[in-house]
Amino acid sequence: MSGKKNIFTEEIELSEIVLNKTNQAFAIIQQEDSDCMTKTNTGKTGKKKMFKTQAAVIAGVCILSVSSISAVAAIRHYWGRGMNGNIQASDEQQQELTEKNMAKVYREEPESPSLAVTDNGITIAPDTVVVDERFAYMSFKISGYRVEDGMEPTFDMVNVYEGDDPEDMDSWLNMSGSMYDGIICNEDGQPVYEDGTSLKDDENGKMIRYYTDQDGNMEYIIQAHVVEPDDSFLGKTIHVNFQNLGTWLKREGFTLAVEGNWNFEIVLPNVSSAQNIEVGQKVEGTDFTLESISISPISLKANYSVGTAPVEHEDDLDIPMVRGVILKDGTRLPYLTDGGSLGYTDSSKKNAYHMAGYDRVIDVDEVAALIIWTSWTADENGGVEIPISK
């Protein structure tokens, strides 16, 4: 895995169109965001696919390049409410990750209008992508579609895959996705609205969700991660296909409102953001030793050696999970990780891993220790703390 690279080795001359974009960016009001999604795909090394597109007429294909550079130092980057609903970041973090080419804000680009795909009056456009070796966070803005209050908007199918064949099961990625509903997780792992206020119900006792922004647009947010623990997203092309818009009710399932297909290709960057740290510490109360971690601002991978593998109980492999971190200033983020997978690297069960994304961006240099759960029934107080040195 490559080390850190500085991609800004020379000055960039700003064109008039980019300067105009800069002025527009400063005029945008940043909207906070988030959806408190618990998306953990526990262990299984096999592939998981949440939504599967069927063969259909393609309305359009938009080819996107995350790795292109366009006057990043001159633009104030706004990730938008949907992306901050997926992985929360301060204004400073948004600027830093975008300038380091870990993130891409498409609406800032001069070619932004050409990236949108329209079918049956509904326009979908990429908004923001944030990536590292293991995880890709993506948000897409949806215009021209509204639902009644209390209804949950959704797509019939969402397909995320590598390669050129959406029917090839080997190309499918682990992913989860949903319409952003204005709900985030706070630092204590509790769901709140994006302004930090408590959740509330309407007159019918149903939780109020805010799917649309002030302009009436919605956003679909995706978290995808590599299937194999040693695989990498760097330099890869990911296809994202949306099919049919409608609503979802638990008892009725999906109800079609608008037929359509919206298809995108996203070329991911080839810049590593992870730090690889040797640890070599036993996880107390288990037969696992945390040998090393690979940690970035948006995800981590823990590598274990195993004495005797524990007995599996259905889907519970009893592999320790990194659930949070402790920062150098004493700040605890006990519920940091959000989604991912864990498993053994081979049939001998002598080596295991836990791979997880976050619900917020962190400064890796400020991490002093990891909070590890040794079972699903653990909580913040039952976690094992393992210090790390960089």
Side-chain angles (χ1 to χ4, degrees):
M1 198 169 289
S2 59
K4 290 185 175 179
K5 300 179 182 178
N6 181 6
I7 61 174
F8 304 105
T9 56
E10 58 186 19
E11 295 183 356
I12 302 173
E13 183 177 354
L14 305 183
S15 66
E16 181 178 355
I17 189 169
V18 172
L19 288 174
N20 289 337
K21 280 291 179 181
T22 303
N23 294 331
Q24 295 175 22
F26 278 106
I28 298 173
I29 298 177
Q30 183 180 22
Q31 299 183 38
E32 297 179 354
D33 28 274
S34 266
D35 187 4
C36 190
M37 299 183 297
T38 301
K39 306 183 290 283
T40 304
N41 297 328
T42 62
K44 323 347 153 222
T45 55
K47 303 182 190 319
K48 179 179 180 65
K49 186 170 183 62
M50 295 193 64
F51 304 98
K52 178 70 175 70
T53 50
Q54 299 172 350
V57 177
I58 297 178
V61 175
C62 179
I63 300 178
L64 319 172
S65 177
V66 179
S67 57
S68 63
I69 305 171
S70 58
V72 294
I75 296 179
R76 188 178 181 185
H77 310 286
Y78 294 103
W79 285 7
R81 69 190 299 261
M83 181 52 67
N84 259 333
N86 206 350
I87 182 166
Q88 299 169 61
S90 67
D91 182 79
E92 181 181 13
Q93 290 170 330
Q94 292 179 41
Q95 313 317 309
E96 181 179 359
L97 267 63
T98 306
E99 291 169 10
K100 287 184 176 180
N101 203 37
M102 284 185 63
K104 178 82 167 182
V105 182
Y106 289 103
R107 78 185 99 86
E108 297 174 352
E109 299 304 305
E111 71 274 16
S112 176
S114 67
L115 305 181
V117 176
T118 301
D119 193 10
N120 274 339
I122 308 299
T123 299
I124 300 179
D127 190 86
T128 308
V129 172
V130 185
V131 298
D132 69 359
E133 287 86 342
R134 296 168 289 269
F135 278 76
Y137 301 82
M138 298 172 275
S139 65
F140 294 81
K141 181 169 290 186
I142 303 163
S143 305
Y145 180 65
R146 299 290 294 270
V147 295
E148 297 179 4
D149 290 344
M151 300 297 291
E152 179 181 350
T154 190
F155 289 98
D156 184 19
M157 297 179 185
V158 179
N159 193 15
V160 182
Y161 65 97
E162 295 181 33
D164 298 321
D165 184 5
E167 300 301 319
D168 180 7
M169 293 179 62
D170 289 335
S171 70
W172 298 351
L173 299 178
N174 288 319
M175 62 83 68
S176 61
S178 68
M179 292 288 185
Y180 175 58
D181 61 4
I183 299 174
I184 65 172
C185 279
N186 63 22
E187 291 184 358
D188 295 324
Q190 301 301 311
V192 296
Y193 289 118
E194 53 194 357
D195 62 0
T197 58
S198 300
L199 304 184
K200 56 186 177 181
D201 296 338
D202 60 20
E203 62 274 12
N204 298 316
K206 187 173 183 178
M207 183 186 298
I208 298 175
R209 299 176 183 270
Y210 299 98
Y211 289 104
T212 58
D213 62 17
Q214 61 185 6
D215 298 318
N217 300 317
M218 298 185 298
E219 290 188 46
Y220 194 88
I221 52 180
I222 292 173
Q223 184 201 72
H225 65 276
V226 295
V227 174
E228 301 300 332
D230 294 326
D231 201 356
S232 172
F233 274 147
L234 297 182
K236 298 289 184 65
T237 297
I238 291 181
H239 297 255
V240 181
N241 301 149
F242 300 98
Q243 181 177 337
N244 299 338
L245 262 172
T247 57
W248 172 266
L249 288 175
K250 186 174 182 180
R251 294 182 179 179
E252 299 178 12
F254 176 78
T255 299
L256 176 66
V258 181
E259 291 186 348
N261 284 272
W262 302 266
N263 304 280
F264 303 87
E265 292 181 0
I266 301 179
V267 181
L268 301 181
N270 194 28
V271 178
S272 174
S273 62
Q275 294 186 27
N276 299 310
I277 303 169
E278 298 296 323
V279 181
Q281 293 196 45
K282 184 79 177 294
V283 180
E284 184 180 350
T286 76
D287 212 7
F288 290 81
T289 297
L290 179 61
E291 297 292 352
S292 64
I293 60 170
S294 174
I295 185 170
S296 88
I298 64 172
S299 81
L300 61 80
K301 177 172 174 267
N303 301 299
Y304 301 99
S305 61
V306 187
T308 301
V311 177
E312 298 178 15
H313 299 90
E314 297 181 352
D315 289 341
D316 189 356
L317 302 181
D318 271 343
I319 295 173
M321 299 169 290
V322 180
R323 289 292 284 122
V325 299
I326 302 172
L327 304 182
K328 291 179 179 178
D329 65 2
T331 300
R332 297 176 64 89
L333 299 174
Y335 302 102
L336 173 69
T337 58
D338 186 21
S341 61
L342 49 78
Y344 295 98
T345 59
D346 54 48
S347 59
S348 70
K349 297 185 178 181
K350 293 300 181 182
N351 295 282
Y353 71 93
H354 175 221
M355 180 168 56
Y358 309 151
D359 68 0
R360 66 194 65 237
V361 174
I362 65 169
D363 182 349
V364 174
D365 290 331
E366 293 302 312
V367 176
L370 307 176
I371 301 173
I372 298 180
W373 285 13
T374 58
S375 73
W376 282 107
T377 58
D379 57 23
E380 178 189 357
N381 296 323
V384 175
E385 298 179 10
I386 293 184
I388 60 173
S389 58
K390 296 180 285 294

